[in-house]
Amino acid sequence: MIKTDICIIGAGPVGLFAVFEAGLLKMRCHLIDVLPQVGGQLSEIYPHKPIYDIPGYPNIKAQELIDKQMEQIAPFQPTFTLGERVESLQKQEDGSYHVISSDGTVIHCQVVVIAGGLGCFEPRKPDLVNLELYEKSHVHYMVKDPERFRDRRIVIAGGGDSALDWTVYLANVAKEVTLVHRNDSFRGAPDSADKVYRLAQEGKINLLLSHNLVSLSGNGHLEHIHLTNKQKEDIAVPTEDFIPLYGLSPKLGPIAEWGLNIDKNAIQVDTFDYATNIERIYAIGDINTYPGKLKLILCGYHEAALMCQSAFKYVYPDQKLSFKYTTVNGVNAF
């Protein structure tokens, strides 16, 4: 059994910042995440995407932000359980909780903080003939290791930020990159779209706009993706790997069964301290909802700070918050 003060479900940027705020108040944190690494969607989906709304950084790449946050929380020595999904929650007689994972890991904590972003997410799959035949070997809904595509012929499908960002990045890795989009314009960041257009003009990628996916084919391994254009002509594009990037379908998973107040797949909270309707359970970041909610990383940071001020009373019930300025492991703290 792992014992800690606060169990944070979700190791994305908001969950990591909660570790920092808790550490300033001398509360220990253990984080659990279904993904095999910290960083949440930033690391899993678009690690190379620039982020522009983090104070102090005109722009910072998603993975770099996570790396900086890991450096920031290192003095507080958080512990992690990665690659396991939270399955159940058991309240103890003293008000504390046992958080139990899919692999049977048990975390005993005084406070539970749900910082799961969009929750357990599943990729949106295209309606494509023979898709299931190649899913385990040649179809990739997330780019976990770019080197997997070194010197290979690939097709990327989608018109959002992930499709644009990975097209730009993999243009310097893969042997040949083809980007397919069903519309004639992109919905991703204009700067990223400009980079894709420039690569197409320079002949570094193939860009097929207003094309629809039809099927996959091959003899034992993926060889072609079949499309139709505006003229309803059939086109076969040679490829060794197919990367459909249509975003994620969020699901709360087992969390939805805990008796929390849910509104449209998000957890309702009190904006005083981002507490849920169940004592000692808080929700911060994109997974919560309240009037005026903005799904921004910096808003999640704000929510984490207020949450920790409230959680303190459960971890140290006989103490009041002290605001004497001091230093903890080289980090300025109150």
Side-chain angles (χ1 to χ4, degrees), residues 4-12 14-20 22 28-33 78-81 86 99 107 109 111-116 284 307-308:
T4 190
D5 295 326
I6 300 176
C7 178
I8 301 174
I9 302 171
V14 173
L16 295 179
F17 189 70
V19 174
F20 177 76
R28 297 171 296 120
C29 292
H30 183 86
L31 299 92
I32 181 168
D33 201 299
T79 52
F80 298 86
T81 296
V86 172
V99 179
I107 302 148
C109 60
V111 173
V112 176
V113 177
I114 304 171
I284 57 177
M307 175 278 298
C308 286

Side-chain angles (χ1 to χ4, degrees), residues 34 41 116-121 250-253 255 287:
V34 68
Q41 294 181 60
L118 295 176
C120 298
F121 44 82
K251 297 182 183 297
L252 285 177
I255 292 175
I287 204 163

Side-chain angles (χ1 to χ4, degrees), residues 209-264:
L209 298 178
S210 300
H211 283 66
N212 291 308
L213 305 173
V214 177
S215 64
L216 301 176
S217 67
N219 184 16
H221 59 274
L222 182 61
E223 296 177 352
H224 291 90
I225 183 166
H226 300 270
L227 318 169
T228 58
N229 58 19
K230 282 185 176 180
Q231 291 73 41
K232 304 300 181 181
E233 298 171 324
D234 295 325
I235 300 170
V237 178
T239 189
E240 295 170 278
D241 292 288
F242 175 48
I243 309 175
L245 298 173
Y246 293 123
L248 303 170
S249 177
K251 297 182 183 297
L252 285 177
I255 292 175
E257 309 301 322
W258 292 358
L260 299 165
N261 289 339
I262 307 294
D263 179 23
K264 297 178 180 177

Side-chain angles (χ1 to χ4, degrees), residues 70-191:
M70 289 295 289
E71 181 182 346
Q72 182 185 40
I73 66 176
F76 302 114
Q77 300 179 333
T79 52
F80 298 86
T81 296
L82 301 174
E84 298 181 27
R85 186 175 78 167
V86 172
E87 289 292 335
S88 62
L89 197 64
Q90 296 178 355
K91 191 168 186 177
Q92 306 304 296
E93 290 184 2
D94 63 355
S96 63
Y97 284 98
H98 284 174
V99 179
I100 304 172
S101 82
S102 53
D103 287 7
T105 301
V106 180
I107 302 148
H108 179 236
C109 60
Q110 298 300 320
V111 173
V112 176
V113 177
I114 304 171
L118 295 176
C120 298
F121 44 82
E122 298 177 359
R124 294 190 176 98
K125 300 181 180 183
D127 184 11
L128 196 58
V129 176
N130 294 332
L131 178 68
E132 67 282 355
L133 296 180
Y134 303 97
E135 277 188 312
K136 293 184 178 180
S137 55
H138 299 283
V139 179
H140 314 270
Y141 296 106
M142 298 179 186
V143 180
K144 296 183 178 180
D145 179 16
E147 286 300 313
R148 163 74 174 77
F149 306 104
R150 174 70 64 180
D151 298 325
R152 292 176 67 83
R153 185 178 285 118
I154 66 174
V155 171
I156 299 173
D161 287 321
S162 292
L164 295 174
D165 291 343
W166 280 120
T167 296
V168 173
Y169 186 87
L170 292 173
N172 296 315
V173 175
K175 177 182 179 180
E176 182 179 277
V177 176
T178 300
L179 175 60
V180 179
H181 184 38
R182 61 186 176 185
N183 296 322
D184 57 7
S185 62
F186 297 109
R187 63 180 184 279
D191 179 67

